[in-house]
Amino acid sequence: MLSRTADHLFWMARYTERAENTARMLDVNVQTALLPQSARAAEQSWRATLGISELQEAFDEKYAKLTPKDVLHFMVSDTSHPASISSYLRAARENARAVRGTLTTEVWETHNTTWLELPNQLRESEFQQDPSQFFEWVKHRSHLSRGVTFGTMLSDEALYFIRLGTFLERADNTARILDVKFHGASAATQSGEKLGNENQRDFYYWAAILRSVSAFEIYRKVYRDAITPARVADLLMLNIDMPRSLLASLTEVLRNLRYVSNDVSSDTLRFAGKLHADLKFARIEDILEEGLHDYLTEFLENIFELGNRVSGDFLVPVGA
């Protein structure tokens, strides 16, 4: 396959997954904002959300003061920067348009229709009244894109590069959500906030995080018990049967890398295999003892490195 075609397919999938994950992340913030908390804790939560996408500096240049409304506008509909949901969906559609001949009609029409429907979904009054409804729409369109892709595309290199992009992006975003939300829970505890029933507040906080990655029902099936931070981390990191876990994502990355491997990709495949093995044989107790933040920071650095290696082996070089 031509490297330019592979590049468009890879990034089409990454941008679609990135839009979905941004919607998930913002939705959990909207939901947890409804819980009793101090103004300082609420602002920290929104700033952490900006930090996940490395948008804090760009936001501060544009806005003198942080408000939830401005954060939502900046991360959802502001196309003056490349890291909003609107920008991601536009980029996904443009990459799909560039390789229309490689995609099935159903896949192209799904991406194109998503872009064409976006303005109606972002009507100001409706979005401000119920942003969660918009986030559900973004998730649904992403699910539809994946389903149509898997259900209509030939199982060849085109499909493998799409899935490689999807699962690389998913691993990155799940790790970011975990890192920021666990840090937020720790900061709230250390600040000594006592707002209402703490056990009830903790339940809704962790339940919202689980729902942000479609894991609430799965958690109940696996543990059938109270929600605890350690179990949340174990499920979202090390449970291979959880579709959005780090281990499940890396398993798919490794599988699709093997399908597209070439004469120069052996080191990349070995690097991915080591990351996968580290997760596969890890114990959550050891990770928490080592420090979850340090572990996830290193993981994100390795995912970034893996993405660069994939680009170097298969895709269009930067500036080409």
Side-chain angles (χ1 to χ4, degrees), residues 93 111-120:
R93 188 256 188 186
H111 283 281
N112 193 44
T113 300
T114 299
W115 174 245
L116 294 176
E117 287 182 0
L118 181 62
N120 288 334

Side-chain angles (χ1 to χ4, degrees), residues 22 25 48-56 75 83 88 173 176:
T22 301
M25 180 175 56
T49 301
L50 289 165
I52 290 178
S53 301
E54 300 177 0
L55 290 174
Q56 182 67 71
M75 295 190 68
Y88 292 148
N173 280 273
R176 288 176 186 272

Side-chain angles (χ1 to χ4, degrees), residues 3-13 92 94-96 98-99 315:
S3 61
R4 190 171 297 278
T5 300
D7 187 79
H8 284 303
L9 294 168
F10 177 82
W11 283 105
M12 176 193 77
E94 288 306 303
N95 277 282
V99 287
L315 309 180

Side-chain angles (χ1 to χ4, degrees), residues 21-32:
N21 282 291
T22 301
R24 290 176 177 277
M25 180 175 56
L26 289 171
D27 195 29
V28 75
N29 245 38
V30 169
Q31 299 301 322
T32 54

